Amino acid sequence: MDEFDVIVIGGGPAGEVLAGRCADGGLSVALVERELVGGECSYWGCIPSKTLIRPGDVLAAVHRVPGASSAVTGKVDVAAALAQRDYMTNGWSDKGQLPWLRERGIELIRGTGRLDGARTVLVTGPGTRRLTAARAVVLATGTRPAIPPIPGLVDAQPWDNRDATATKAIPSRLLVIGGGAIGVELAQAYRRLGCDQVTLFEGAARLLAREEPFAGDEVRDALERGGVSVVLDAAIERVHRDGTDGPVVVELADRAYVADEILVATGRRVMADELGFDSIGLSAGRSVTVDDRLRAVGVDGEWLYAIGDCNGLAQLTHMGKYQARVAADVILGNDVRDRASHDVVPRVTFTDPQVCAVGLTEGQARERGLPVRVVTYGTGDVPGAYTQGNGIRGTSKLVVDESRRVLVGATFTGPGVQELLHSATVAIVGAVPLDVLWHAVPSFPTLSEVWLHLLETYGL
């Protein structure tokens, strides 16, 4: 049996960070990974998708600037865009990720890891190894796409996010099921990369249902102006493909839609049923319930941790990395607790306009019974926006807890507004009183001046 202080199952961003932090703290660490070190985000998620989004964003920004727009007369060079995607994913090789593991003395074990009793992990891969952990086993196993039970969908060979971000060619026609962040991002990206027809189906009454209502409305308007057809309240009855490589058809009650490919972006599910919970008497639920130190609830001895997507708290790369830092510090003996994964989650949808939010929406705050006051201001109504071009739109909104006069939520929409978000995150995490925040002077002429106008609208 191989013994380590810490065994990490999953070498994605969260697993990497935890393994590195524990190794830097002097612990012996084994990192178990069945695919590529770097995980979903590096090879099939955030990195390739944002790389494919970028060309269309740049062209849209140029076309908003008089004097520059006339200099751009061509279309996106799709071959170059895909080549850049290949470069950013290192051709789906993780060789570049390995030196830092060796430098820290972390042992990489290729294979599939599952629990096999207390503090024990069975790795099957080539061969079989049984590992034991003196201090902790950490689950960092991520998620996989969830395919809705629509008749015929599985047999129609649908794309998931991996197929969409690793494509070798842009189809002429694309259908997208799901109006969350992945669905809207890739629908717009594919349209801007040259897809002639893109149709997006969302079962709810609006896009981005977890964000402020205006955010979904603004993204829908932008998608439709860019040539994407958006179908809301879509009740898909059946999906089928004509032959092995023929067109795919989505049938609604009143109409059928035909395309070359269909992308499913309806959420993700935890691989809890594959983790061997039965060997330690734990039920395999949809996610691993953890306490505020990221320890699995219901496991005696406080040796099992779950970080990142698999605990279901906040399925975002940066939150998984944050949880990894917290859990690593707990394992190293420090008194640290997770303070961000419930109420202070920053998130960006990389459409044009971007949707950047942190904390609670107005609806969520009111559901909790907070004494809420909200203020809004046009993101494009500041001089800094005018200097970036014409037709820049968007909305900025703050959600204020009046009992404490602090922010509990913020949303910014508009082209390229993601860098506004961290200031809001700092204000919420630090519980900065509005009377103090008023003295944080934004530079002129920048988009951050929207903070000044929001606070003036509040009455400061």
Side-chain angles (χ1 to χ4, degrees), residues 57-306:
D57 271 356
V58 171
L59 282 180
V62 170
H63 285 303
R64 285 190 281 263
V65 182
S69 58
S70 59
V72 179
T73 58
K75 298 180 179 179
V76 170
D77 184 337
V78 174
L82 296 180
Q84 179 69 7
R85 181 273 321 271
D86 294 347
Y87 167 76
M88 292 296 291
T89 59
N90 198 31
W92 290 274
S93 167
D94 62 3
K95 290 182 179 179
Q97 303 280 87
L98 306 186
W100 75 268
L101 292 176
R102 292 192 292 268
E103 291 168 3
R104 288 166 174 78
I106 298 168
E107 182 170 346
L108 173 62
I109 301 175
R110 301 281 189 179
T112 300
R114 62 182 287 118
L115 298 170
D116 192 36
R119 301 177 184 270
T120 304
V121 174
L122 183 67
V123 182
T124 56
T128 301
R129 291 177 68 176
R130 181 169 277 103
L131 316 177
T132 60
R135 191 169 297 198
V137 174
V138 183
L139 304 176
T141 49
T143 55
R144 64 176 46 163
I147 306 298
I150 299 173
L153 178 58
V154 173
D155 293 334
Q157 305 167 56
W159 279 4
D160 58 21
N161 67 289
R162 291 192 171 197
D163 300 296
T165 58
T167 186
K168 299 300 182 183
I170 303 301
S172 177
R173 301 170 298 177
L174 177 67
L175 304 176
V176 180
I177 301 178
I182 295 174
V184 294
E185 285 180 357
L186 291 176
Q188 187 176 62
Y190 265 76
R191 175 63 179 147
R192 288 178 164 183
L193 286 168
C195 195
D196 295 323
Q197 296 178 16
V198 179
T199 303
L200 174 67
F201 302 97
E202 169 53 48
R206 61 184 176 89
L207 303 177
L208 301 176
R210 296 181 180 180
E211 303 297 351
E212 296 282 4
F214 69 81
D217 294 341
E218 291 178 15
V219 170
R220 177 189 178 185
D221 178 64
L223 290 175
E224 291 179 334
R225 284 188 286 107
V228 176
S229 298
V230 178
V231 182
L232 300 178
D233 295 311
I236 299 174
E237 296 185 346
R238 181 171 177 260
V239 177
H240 64 90
R241 187 180 287 274
D242 185 8
T244 303
D245 301 317
V248 62
V249 181
V250 168
E251 296 182 5
L252 276 64
D254 58 345
R255 182 177 173 184
Y257 297 82
V258 183
D260 304 297
E261 300 293 349
I262 182 169
L263 166 63
V264 178
T266 52
R268 303 183 67 82
R269 68 179 183 86
V270 175
M271 297 173 282
D273 54 338
E274 304 173 17
L275 294 176
F277 286 159
D278 55 334
S279 73
I280 58 172
L282 196 64
S283 298
R286 295 185 62 185
S287 58
V288 183
T289 303
V290 295
D291 61 17
D292 61 1
R293 298 188 184 189
L294 286 310
R295 298 174 301 203
V297 174
V299 177
D300 293 336
E302 299 180 343
W303 57 269
L304 183 62
Y305 295 72

Side-chain angles (χ1 to χ4, degrees), residues 343-347 356-361 408-412 421 424-425 428:
D343 294 337
V344 199
V345 177
R347 53 213 183 262
C356 309
V358 60
L360 306 178
T361 63
V408 293
T411 299
F412 306 94
L421 188 59
T425 305
I428 295 173

Side-chain angles (χ1 to χ4, degrees), residues 386-442:
Y386 300 149
T387 66
Q388 294 187 16
N390 297 331
I392 292 179
R393 306 181 181 90
T395 304
S396 295
K397 179 175 181 177
L398 302 181
V399 181
V400 180
D401 177 351
E402 285 287 83
S403 66
R404 296 182 295 144
R405 284 175 66 86
V406 299
L407 300 182
V408 293
T411 299
F412 306 94
T413 65
V417 296
Q418 75 269 24
E419 301 302 341
L420 286 175
L421 188 59
H422 193 59
S423 53
T425 305
V426 171
I428 295 173
V429 170
V432 182
L434 294 187
D435 293 317
V436 174
L437 194 59
W438 183 80
H439 292 282
V441 183

